[in-house]
């Protein structure tokens, strides 16, 4: 039994210490400290752009060199923990209670998972990453000659690894923990609530404040990383279509415009804005993917999907714990460690978001749904776009896609679409997808951060959501001005590392909570059966 089990009536209510003024309704310590730290970071980055760029590079090297192994081990443990919970007796617990029903249909649920969990990153890296690994194969699965069929096979396997079960294992852990403690124990929908079995009422004091402040910072910088990638790709697409200059000032301007769209969406709320945009995203993405599948190398794409899936499953144990200690290389710093830090830094945002839309599902349904459905759709997407690019590189268009990746990663998608029919139309659809992914990530993130900084209230005032939507765009712009891609990667890793420690403690806390809940439900069923038997006799 947990050290602190819930009473039937929780003494504290979400936001019961909030300050309400001028359209805001916020938790004083979490809102002011996290907002102040983020604003201070933005000001220092903008005032000292060149030193900031050097500092970002130094911090990234320090963290990846000394603690990369910790992130690799932690993320693998999160996945193992999730699978264990799903197939244990604890998987029968229902989020929201035994009689709860799912709030959203499965299609809308999966659409919101994809849009929130990956979004812009799928557009940015689906072609660039396989081509990078084709040109420079890591020694993760053995020494392989670059630009060969074997290198292409490994490239897709590693891409699956970075975007598959490990990423969604992180999200599943945080989402499950938040949904369970919010819907089953009646606690606020904030990260601090997950630690109730360990801290009890102290989650409402300074320990809980520190946890939520870290969650806000992690969420904002994880979002800024994705928004930065997205605006770079939108700029590249507009350059391809209408000749718009590719430059940081242009990208900052695009951030301002798209943040305006996100602000309008976030005011609409979860049911209207986020849900509708997520469903639109799924439809547009499916149309573009099917088009590329049909007009591209269809047989190669489907064959590579099946083969890469097999290699991924077979190689998963080796890849999960590989730290390149014996190879003496530094490849992981820019790839696996970056991705794991990025997923962990995104996890408060994605976790809270998927928790909000997952009431009524069993723990087993939740974990397997979050792990498998988005992963398989991601693998298919990567196979269609990455497989098409690899087919071109291995065929008669050698050097075309790889040249684009070398010149500017953000242009790779549009250069590939240029080799297919209806280029102008598909490129326009791709830009729309990038923008809508940008908007859904921003407005989903704003809803989550607003909830975190309002003491766990599910609904926060529109001005508060607008404030965070604008600040997310400002952080993304500051990172682009202060170091571009390197700054984005450093932000993800730096905020992800300390939060990984919190997630490790979270595993123990939610395990104890689920154990207690299962025991209560099991005893309740036994008591009901005994009563029915007594009445029958």
């Amino acid at each position: 039994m947990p050290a602190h089990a819930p009473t039937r009536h929780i003494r504290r209510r979400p936001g019961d210490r909030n300050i309400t003024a001028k359209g805001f309704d916020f938790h004083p310590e979490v809102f002011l400290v996290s907002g102040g730290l983020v604003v201070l970071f933005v000001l220092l980055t903008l005032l000292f752009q060149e030193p900031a760029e050097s500092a970002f590079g130094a911090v990234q090297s320090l963290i990846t060199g000394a603690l990369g192994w910790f992130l690799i081990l932690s993320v693998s443990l999160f996945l193992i923990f999730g699978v264990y919970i799903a197939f244990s007796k604890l998987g029968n617990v229902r989020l929201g209670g035994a009689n709860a029903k799912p709030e959203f249909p499965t299609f809308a649920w999966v659409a919101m998972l994809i849009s929130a969990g990956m979004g812009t990153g799928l557009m940015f890296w689906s072609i660039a990453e396989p081509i990078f690994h084709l040109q420079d194969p890591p020694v993760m699965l053995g020494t392989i000659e670059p630009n060969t069929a074997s290198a292409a096979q490994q490239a897709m396997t590693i891409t699956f690894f970075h975007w598959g079960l490990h990423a969604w294992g992180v999200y599943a852990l945080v989402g499950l923990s938040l949904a369970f403690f919010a819907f089953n124990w009646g606690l606020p929908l904030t990260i601090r609530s997950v630690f109730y079995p360990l801290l009890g009422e102290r989650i409402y004091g300074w320990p809980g404040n520190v946890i939520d402040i870290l969650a806000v910072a992690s969420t904002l910088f994880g979002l800024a990383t994705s928004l930065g990638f997205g605006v770079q790709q939108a700029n590249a697409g507009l350059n391809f279509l209408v000749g718009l200059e590719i430059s940081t000032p242009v990208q900052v301007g695009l951030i301002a415009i798209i943040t305006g769209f996100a602000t309008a969406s976030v005011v609409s709320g979860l049911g209207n804005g986020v849900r509708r945009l997520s469903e639109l995203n799924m439809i547009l993405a499916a149309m573009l993917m099917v088009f590329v599948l049909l007009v591209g190398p269809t047989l190669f794409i489907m064959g590579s999907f099946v083969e890469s899936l097999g290699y991924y499953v077979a190689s998963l144990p080796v890849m999960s714990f590989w730290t390149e200690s014996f190879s003496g290389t530094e490849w992981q710093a820019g790839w696996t460690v970056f991705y794991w830090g990025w997923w962990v830094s995104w996890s408060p945002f994605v976790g809270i978001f998927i928790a909000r839309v997952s009431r009524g599902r069993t723990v087993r349904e939740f974990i397997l749904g979050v792990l498998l459905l988005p992963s398989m759709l991601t693998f298919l997407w990567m196979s269609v776009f990455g497989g098409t690019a690899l087919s071109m590189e291995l065929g008669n268009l050698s050097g075309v896609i790889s040249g684009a990746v070398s010149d500017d990663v953000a242009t790779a998608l549009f250069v590939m679409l240029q080799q297919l029919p209806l280029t102008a139309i598909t490129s326009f659809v791709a830009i729309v997808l990038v923008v809508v992914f940008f908007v859904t990530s921003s407005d989903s993130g704003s809803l989550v951060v607003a909830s975190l900084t309002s003491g766990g209230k599910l609904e926060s005032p529109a001005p508060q959501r607008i404030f965070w939507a604008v600040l997310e765009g400002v952080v993304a712009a500051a990172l682009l001005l202060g170091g571009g891609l390197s700054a984005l990667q450093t932000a993800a890793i730096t905020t992800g590392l300390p939060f990984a420690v919190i997630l490790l403690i979270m595993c123990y806390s939610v395990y104890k909570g689920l154990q207690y809940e299962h025991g209560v439900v099991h005893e309740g069923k036994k008591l009901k059966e005994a009563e029915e038997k007594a009445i029958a006799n």
Side-chain angles (χ1 to χ4, degrees), residues 164-207:
L165 295 174
H166 281 74
W168 290 99
V170 176
Y171 299 154
L173 167 63
V174 180
L176 169 65
S177 304
L178 289 162
F180 171 71
F181 286 107
F183 300 146
N184 293 69
W185 285 22
L187 293 166
L189 191 65
T190 63
I191 302 296
R192 70 173 74 206
S193 297
V194 177
F195 298 91
Y196 189 90
L198 305 178
L199 298 175
E201 294 295 309
R202 285 180 294 169
I203 65 168
Y204 299 108
W206 70 264

Side-chain angles (χ1 to χ4, degrees), residues 397-408:
L397 295 173
S398 176
V400 174
I401 310 299
S402 58
V405 170
S406 300
D407 293 339
D408 185 348

Side-chain angles (χ1 to χ4, degrees), residues 480-492:
L480 286 174
L481 291 168
L485 183 61
S486 174
L488 296 172
Q489 292 179 325
T490 303

Side-chain angles (χ1 to χ4, degrees), residues 343-515:
W343 304 147
V344 170
S345 67
W346 262 64
S347 64
F349 151 52
V350 181
I352 289 177
F353 183 74
I354 64 177
R356 287 190 65 178
V357 300
S358 300
R359 183 198 292 266
R361 301 185 185 274
T362 66
V363 168
R364 181 172 298 111
E365 180 185 4
F366 176 89
I367 292 177
L368 295 181
V370 172
L371 284 180
L372 298 179
L373 295 177
S375 292
M376 291 304 295
L377 287 172
T378 300
F379 294 160
L380 184 58
W381 178 276
M382 291 295 187
S383 296
V384 170
F385 288 88
T388 299
L390 290 174
S391 176
M392 291 177 178
E393 279 295 307
L394 296 174
N396 298 327
L397 295 173
S398 176
V400 174
I401 310 299
S402 58
V405 170
S406 300
D407 293 339
D408 185 348
V409 176
T411 66
L413 173 62
F414 302 100
V415 172
M416 189 208 76
L417 292 175
Q418 191 176 27
Q419 316 309 316
L420 302 174
L422 304 178
T423 301
I425 296 174
T426 55
S427 297
F428 176 75
V429 171
I431 294 172
V432 172
L433 271 173
V434 170
V435 171
V436 177
F437 270 131
F438 190 129
V439 171
T440 52
S441 295
S442 180
D443 61 12
S444 303
S446 302
L447 290 169
V448 166
V449 175
S451 178
L452 281 170
T453 55
S454 63
K457 286 189 173 182
L458 294 181
E459 298 295 335
S460 53
Q464 193 161 317
R465 301 199 300 270
I466 292 171
F467 170 81
W468 289 113
V470 172
L471 192 56
E472 287 161 16
V474 170
V475 172
L479 288 171
L480 286 174
L481 291 168
L485 183 61
S486 174
L488 296 172
Q489 292 179 325
T490 303
I493 295 171
T494 304
T495 53
L497 183 66
F499 209 75
V501 178
I502 290 179
L503 297 194
L504 286 171
I505 303 172
M506 186 181 290
C507 290
Y508 177 76
S509 184
V510 73
Y511 178 75
K512 300 301 289 184
L514 286 170
Q515 270 192 322

Side-chain angles (χ1 to χ4, degrees), residues 286-302:
M287 290 171 60
L288 182 61
M289 183 175 70
V290 170
F291 174 81
V292 175
L293 174 64
L294 294 178
V295 304
T298 307
L299 294 178
F300 179 87
I301 290 170
M302 297 312 299

Side-chain angles (χ1 to χ4, degrees), residues 196-419:
Y196 189 90
L198 305 178
L199 298 175
E201 294 295 309
R202 285 180 294 169
I203 65 168
Y204 299 108
W206 70 264
N209 293 339
V210 170
I211 291 169
D212 278 351
I213 288 168
L214 277 174
V216 171
S218 180
T219 299
L220 282 172
F221 286 106
L223 276 167
T225 302
S226 291
L227 300 186
F229 287 147
V231 80
Q232 286 180 339
Q233 193 162 40
N235 189 184
L238 290 171
N239 172 265
F240 179 80
L241 282 180
V242 299
L244 182 66
E245 176 191 5
I246 295 179
S247 67
T248 301
V250 170
Q251 290 164 10
V252 171
L254 289 173
I255 286 176
I257 294 171
I258 300 174
T259 298
F261 291 134
T263 301
S265 175
V266 80
V267 172
S268 300
L270 183 65
N272 295 321
V274 180
R275 175 182 172 179
R276 300 305 178 195
L277 282 174
S278 297
E279 291 176 340
L280 172 64
N281 245 18
M282 285 287 284
I283 293 169
L284 286 176
M287 290 171 60
L288 182 61
M289 183 175 70
V290 170
F291 174 81
V292 175
L293 174 64
L294 294 178
V295 304
T298 307
L299 294 178
F300 179 87
I301 290 170
M302 297 312 299
S304 67
F305 169 70
V306 174
E307 188 170 331
S308 299
L309 186 61
Y311 271 87
Y312 168 70
V313 173
S315 306
L316 194 60
V318 173
M319 294 189 295
S320 298
F321 297 97
W322 185 67
T323 60
E324 63 184 347
S325 298
F326 296 101
S327 63
T329 56
E330 298 180 354
W331 172 87
Q332 269 189 325
W335 291 104
T336 308
V337 173
F338 157 62
Y339 275 125
W340 284 187
W342 191 10
W343 304 147
V344 170
S345 67
W346 262 64
S347 64
F349 151 52
V350 181
I352 289 177
F353 183 74
I354 64 177
R356 287 190 65 178
V357 300
S358 300
R359 183 198 292 266
R361 301 185 185 274
T362 66
V363 168
R364 181 172 298 111
E365 180 185 4
F366 176 89
I367 292 177
L368 295 181
V370 172
L371 284 180
L372 298 179
L373 295 177
S375 292
M376 291 304 295
L377 287 172
T378 300
F379 294 160
L380 184 58
W381 178 276
M382 291 295 187
S383 296
V384 170
F385 288 88
T388 299
L390 290 174
S391 176
M392 291 177 178
E393 279 295 307
L394 296 174
N396 298 327
L397 295 173
S398 176
V400 174
I401 310 299
S402 58
V405 170
S406 300
D407 293 339
D408 185 348
V409 176
T411 66
L413 173 62
F414 302 100
V415 172
M416 189 208 76
L417 292 175
Q418 191 176 27
Q419 316 309 316

